[in-house]
Structure formats: C-alpha cells, structure tokens
Amino acid sequence: MIKTVSILGSTGSIGRQSLAAAEHLGVRVRAISAHGDIARLEEQARKYKPEFVSVFDEEAAARLRLALADTPVRVGGGMQSLREAAVMADCDAVVTAVSGSVGLLPTLDAIAQKKRICLANKETLVCAGRLVMRAAAEAGAEIVPVDSEHSAIFQCLEGRREQLRRILLTG
C-alpha cells in the first residue's frame, strides 16, 4: 500500500491527475516538481503541503522560494533538486511524469533506493531501457507504467509474458 509519493512533473496532465488521485486515496505527497510553471507549483505547494518542491529552471526556483517564504516548504533548483525529489526518505513511490530524457537520472536514483516507480516518462525507457530495467531487477524496484498507452500494453501482458516473443507497435 502506497502511503507517500513524490510526483515529478506535477504541473503536467499526468502529474495533476496523480495529485488528484493521491488526495482521493489519502496518500501523502512528499515532493513535487516542474520545469518552471511556478504559478501552478505554488498553488500545488499550498494545497498539498509537500516538504520539498523542485524547480528545474534555477531562476524560476528562486522566484518560487520567495513566493513560498511564508510556508515551511523547502524549494530546490536544477537537476540535483529533481534527483533529490526522486529519493525522498520514507517515500513509497515516485511518479515520473517529466518530459524527455530529463527523467532518466531521477528514475535511476529512485530505483537504487528501491522505490516503486510509476513511470509516465517513456523517453526514459526509449533512451536507456536495458539499463533501467536491469537496474530495477538488481535493486528489486518495481516499475509500473502509468501513461495510457504503455499501461494498456502492461495490463494486456499480465500473466502472458512467456507466451509472447515480441510486440510491434506502429506509430
């Protein structure tokens, strides 16, 4: 049972849906992140009260620090803060819904900490699928696809993996 979560990419569609699901299920949001949409991040920080907010854009992070100065929320900037959000202590799961290859390092960090990875960032697997899956197997971390297309494939394969040799997807 997931009790706490970090949501990387909380201002996007999947991130917003993840926040709503966490609220509905009573799951505590420990960290959120975005590239630079500080207006939405501030709104989310005030509503969900995470301990940590990561802003990839350093200048936007500085502006958000000022905006949240009246709260106990800690704000970090840059890639290192995104990686920090991925490995928050006592966090059961990490939703990786950031865009592009930016999600690779935080995902690998979360895997190393044996977090459950709720993967919405397909670029992580496109650019380093073998590395990511091997790291998850070695660490004992679970990767669950949550974006609609790859989640549908994942659900179809449950209990049937040994019956298939490969899947071809057309674009």
Side-chain angles (χ1 to χ4, degrees):
M1 176 72 174
I2 296 175
K3 295 181 181 174
T4 58
V5 66
S6 288
I7 302 175
L8 311 183
S10 66
T11 61
S13 175
I14 292 171
R16 292 190 314 269
Q17 291 174 52
S18 297
L19 285 168
E23 181 177 28
H24 177 75
L25 296 170
V27 173
R28 169 104 169 89
V29 177
R30 300 275 318 252
I32 57 176
S33 82
H35 184 271
D37 185 352
I38 61 168
R40 184 165 280 162
L41 264 179
E42 179 183 0
E43 179 183 303
Q44 291 174 344
R46 291 184 183 282
K47 179 175 182 177
Y48 296 100
K49 299 175 180 35
E51 295 170 33
F52 184 65
V53 175
S54 165
V55 187
F56 196 80
D57 180 299
E58 298 270 3
E59 290 178 17
R63 291 193 309 274
L64 186 61
R65 261 185 224 100
L66 291 174
L68 292 175
D70 63 325
T71 73
V73 176
R74 193 166 51 87
V75 178
M79 174 56 87
Q80 191 55 41
S81 75
L82 186 60
R83 295 178 77 178
E84 182 179 344
V87 297
M88 292 287 295
D90 301 324
C91 193
D92 303 315
V94 179
V95 176
T96 58
V98 295
S99 297
S101 61
V102 166
L104 178 59
L105 291 176
T107 300
L108 287 171
D109 292 340
I111 287 170
Q113 296 294 313
K114 299 180 181 172
K115 307 284 187 191
R116 172 181 277 171
I117 312 300
C118 303
L119 188 65
N121 170 286
K122 52 189 149 281
E123 292 87 356
T124 292
L125 292 180
V126 169
C127 66
R130 284 193 176 131
L131 173 70
V132 169
M133 297 309 288
R134 182 176 44 233
E138 290 172 1
E142 180 183 15
I143 298 178
V144 179
V146 294
D147 194 17
S148 57
E149 293 89 359
H150 56 282
S151 181
I153 295 166
F154 175 77
Q155 291 174 47
C156 288
L157 289 175
E158 283 300 296
R160 297 183 189 94
R161 292 173 197 250
E162 65 282 343
Q163 297 171 1
L164 296 172
R165 193 169 43 113
R166 67 180 169 181
I167 295 175
L168 298 176
L169 300 175
T170 59

